Amino acid sequence: MKITPELDFYDLDGLLEEDERMVRDQVRSWVEDRLLPVVPRHWEEGTFPSDLIPEMGELGLFGPTVAEEYGGAGMNSVVYGLICQELERCDSGVRSFVSVQGSLVMYPIEAYGSEAQKREWLPKLARGEAIGCFGLTEPDFGSNPGGMLTRCRRDGDDWILDGRKMWITNGTVADVSVVWAKNEEGEVLGFLVEKDRPGFSAPEQKHKWSLRCSVTSELVLDEVRVPEANRLPGARGLRAPLSCLTQARYGIAWGAVGAMQACFQEALRYTSERMIFDRPLSSFQLTQDKLAEIGTEITKAQLLVWRLGRLKDAGVMRPEQVSMAKRNNVVQALQAARLCRALLGANGITLEYHSGRHACNLETVLTYEGTHEVHSLILGRAFTGQNAFA
Ligand code: TGC
Ligand code: FAD
C-alpha cells in the first residue's frame, strides 16, 4: 500500500527551494510508513490515530509557521502547504487535525493573543501536548457566522459565555477551545476556554460517513465563567475569526492536491493491471480521457497553490485569492476521487483502496471552511463589486 510517486507534469518540483522539498519528502515518508498503514482501520472504526500525535509534534506538523520563540519552526507558508498536501494524500481528516491545530488555534493565539497566552499555549500546542479546537459554527449559523447567538457578558473581572457550537473538529478531545461570541454591543470577541471549566462540555457527534478519522463535536457553553485573561485581546469583530479561516482555507487548497494525487496514482496503477475484454483497462479511450482530465486538473491545482503560497510568503495574498484556490481544488479533488473510485469498479467501494474514502471525505471538505457556494459568492463580490450576502 504505497502512495508515491506523484504527477509533476509541469516540473513544479523545480520551483521549490531545497528546504521546502526536504520537509515535503520527510513528511511524505512518515505518512507512508506510519500513517497510511493504520488510517483505513481508524476510518472504519471512526477514530483518530491519537497515538501518533507526539510523532506529529516531533515532526513539526503543528504550526510550522509559528515563530521559533513560541515553539514553532518559523517556516514559510509553502512548507505549511506542502505538509497539508502530504497529509491529505493519506486522509482529509488527518489534514484537518493539523489545519485546526495550526491555522485555527495557534494562529489566533499568535496573531491576537496576549504574551502570557502565547507563552502558555503555543509551545504545548506545537509539541502536540495540548490539543485545540475552533468554535465558530452554530446549529443555525454556518455560512453566516455573523448571525451567531453565542453571547459573552462582563461580570467583574470575568466573562460569562453562553451558547452552543456545532460541527467542531476535535472539540471532545481539545484541552482548549477558541470560542467566538458576541458581547452586549454585538461585537464578536474571542476566548480561550479550558476543557475543565464548569458549564463547558463537548459531546462527540457520531454517525458520520465522511471524515470518519476526525473527531467532530458540539460545544455546550452553559454560563461558562472565564477570566478577562482568557480573552484574545487583539481580536475584535468578525474579521478576527474570518482571518483564521483564510489561513486554514489556504492549507486546504494544498491538501486537496494531495488527495487528487493519491486517487490518480491509484487509478493509474489499477487500470494498467486490470484486464477487461482481454486488454488492460488503461488502454481504452474512455479511461484515458478520464485520466487526461484528472491529470490536467492536478496540474492546474498545483499551479494555483504554488503561486498562492509565494504571494502569501510575500505578504500580498488576498482572501479572495484563497477562495479561488479552495473552491477550485476541492471540487476538482472530489470529482477526481469519484471518477477514480468508479474506475476501480466494485473494488473501489472497499477500504482496501483509497479513492472511495477520499471521495467520502471530500464531501466534508467541500462544505467546511466556506461551502463551494460561499466561495463562488466571495469571488462574485470581488469581480462585480456587488455583495450577494448583504
Ligand atoms: P464581511 O462583511 O464580508 O466581513 C466582515 C469583516 O471581515 C473581513 N473579512 C476577512 N478578513 C480576513 N479573511 C477573510 N477571509 C475575510 N472575510 C471577510 C472583512 O474585510 C470585514 O472586515 P471589517 O474590518 O470591514 O469589518 O462579513 P459577512 O458577514 O458579509 O460574511 C461574509 C462571508 C459569508 C464570506 C463569511 O461569513 C464567510 O466566510 N462564511 C463562511 C463561514 C465559514 O467558512 N466557516 C468555517 C468555520 S471553521 C471550519 O469549517 C473548520 S473545518 C476544519 C478544518 O479546517 O479542517
Ligand atoms: P448552511 O450554511 O446551512 O448551508 C446549506 C447550503 O446552503 C449549502 O449548500 C450552502 O452552500 C448554501 N448556501 C449558504 N449560503 C448561501 C447563499 N448566500 N446563496 C446560496 N446558497 C447558499 N465549524 C467550525 O466552526 N469549526 C470546526 O472545527 C468545524 N469543523 C467541521 C467539521 C466537519 C466534519 C463539518 C462537516 C463541518 C465543520 N464545521 C466547523 C462547520 C462548517 O464550517 C459548516 O458546516 C459550513 O460553514 C457550512 O455551514 P452549514 O453546515 O450550517 O450549512
Side-chain angles (χ1 to χ4, degrees):
M1 219 167 21
K2 286 268 170 189
I3 48 176
T4 49
E6 67 168 359
L7 180 73
D8 186 14
F9 208 59
Y10 272 31
D11 189 23
L12 265 288
D13 202 61
L15 293 175
L16 297 178
E17 301 295 333
E18 201 179 327
D19 56 336
E20 294 167 345
R21 276 197 298 268
M22 215 176 71
V23 176
R24 180 202 57 192
D25 293 346
Q26 193 189 8
V27 178
R28 185 176 293 178
S29 49
W30 180 80
V31 165
E32 255 184 46
D33 293 346
R34 304 286 293 147
L35 201 57
L36 193 65
V38 300
V39 151
R41 176 177 58 78
H42 279 285
W43 199 91
E44 189 161 26
E45 291 170 3
T47 53
F48 181 79
S50 43
D51 53 319
L52 294 179
I53 294 172
E55 284 180 44
M56 295 169 87
E58 244 168 69
L59 267 172
L61 304 186
F62 303 135
T65 60
V66 165
E68 286 178 67
E69 62 170 313
Y70 299 120
M75 291 200 177
N76 71 13
S77 298
V78 168
V79 166
Y80 174 53
L82 289 164
I83 288 173
C84 290
Q85 174 187 286
E86 294 313 312
L87 292 173
E88 197 149 357
R89 200 188 275 277
C90 178
D91 193 87
S92 303
V94 181
R95 194 270 309 133
S96 257
F97 189 96
V98 163
S99 293
V100 171
Q101 185 90 343
S103 290
L104 297 181
V105 179
M106 295 175 73
Y107 173 80
I109 295 175
E110 190 178 34
Y112 303 118
S114 65
E115 193 56 30
Q117 289 166 347
K118 291 183 211 184
R119 299 243 169 252
E120 177 180 1
W121 286 108
L122 292 177
K124 285 192 274 194
L125 289 160
R127 289 193 297 267
E129 288 165 14
I131 295 169
C133 74
F134 179 87
L136 181 64
T137 303
E138 299 186 356
D140 292 322
F141 295 94
S143 296
N144 179 21
M148 71 176 71
L149 298 177
T150 300
R151 291 291 179 264
C152 55
R153 65 170 200 278
R154 197 69 199 249
D155 185 32
D157 289 340
D158 297 336
W159 288 86
I160 309 294
L161 301 178
D162 200 58
R164 244 178 94 201
K165 301 289 178 181
M166 191 112 170
W167 304 111
I168 307 306
T169 300
N170 285 343
T172 311
V173 294
D175 300 287
V176 61
S177 303
V178 175
V179 171
W180 301 96
K182 273 188 187 170
N183 66 13
E184 280 148 332
E185 289 75 46
E187 189 177 31
V188 175
L189 301 178
F191 296 88
L192 302 178
V193 180
E194 300 93 338
K195 65 178 176 191
D196 49 5
R197 292 263 162 204
F200 176 84
S201 60
E204 187 169 356
Q205 293 179 247
K206 295 275 198 181
H207 312 298
K208 299 187 311 232
W209 54 260
S210 175
L211 220 71
R212 288 186 52 74
C213 237
S214 168
V215 173
T216 311
S217 320
E218 201 181 326
L219 302 186
V220 180
L221 297 131
D222 188 7
E223 299 278 307
V224 177
R225 182 177 286 274
V226 295
E228 161 68 4
N230 280 31
R231 186 173 66 80
L232 295 170
R236 287 213 163 263
L238 194 57
R239 171 181 276 275
L242 294 184
S243 70
C244 305
L245 301 186
T246 295
Q247 313 305 313
R249 291 166 178 173
Y250 166 83
I252 289 170
W254 277 90
V257 178
M260 259 194 271
Q261 288 274 15
C263 298
F264 182 68
Q265 293 304 331
E266 182 168 76
L268 268 185
R269 222 169 21 246
Y270 187 89
T271 57
S272 67
E273 286 162 11
R274 177 73 173 170
M275 300 299 285
I276 312 258
F277 297 102
D278 303 323
R279 283 164 49 188
L281 178 55
S282 57
S283 69
F284 289 92
Q285 292 175 355
L286 285 173
T287 305
Q288 292 187 5
D289 182 58
K290 291 185 180 71
L291 296 173
E293 199 63 42
I294 300 168
T296 305
E297 291 306 333
I298 289 174
T299 305
K300 284 153 71 177
Q302 283 174 320
L303 286 163
L304 273 185
V305 288
W306 173 79
R307 177 67 184 148
L308 192 66
R310 292 293 181 234
L311 290 173
K312 191 171 192 313
D313 283 325
V316 294
M317 181 188 83
R318 299 194 305 275
E320 52 270 29
Q321 292 172 326
V322 182
S323 285
M324 181 179 279
K326 192 272 182 184
R327 178 179 179 277
N328 178 79
N329 291 10
V330 173
V331 80
Q332 292 305 334
L334 176 58
Q335 280 169 17
R338 286 174 182 158
L339 276 176
C340 292
R341 202 297 300 156
L343 282 169
L344 301 176
N347 281 323
I349 71 147
T350 70
L351 284 172
E352 210 178 306
Y353 293 87
H354 305 294
S355 299
R357 176 169 50 79
H358 278 296
C360 289
N361 285 339
L362 287 161
E363 293 286 353
T364 284
V365 186
L366 190 78
T367 288
Y368 71 24
E369 285 291 357
T371 66
H372 188 75
E373 290 76 13
V374 161
H375 290 295
S376 300
L377 297 176
I378 291 173
L379 289 174
R381 181 167 67 179
F383 296 152
T384 67
Q386 311 279 343
N387 185 3
F389 303 114

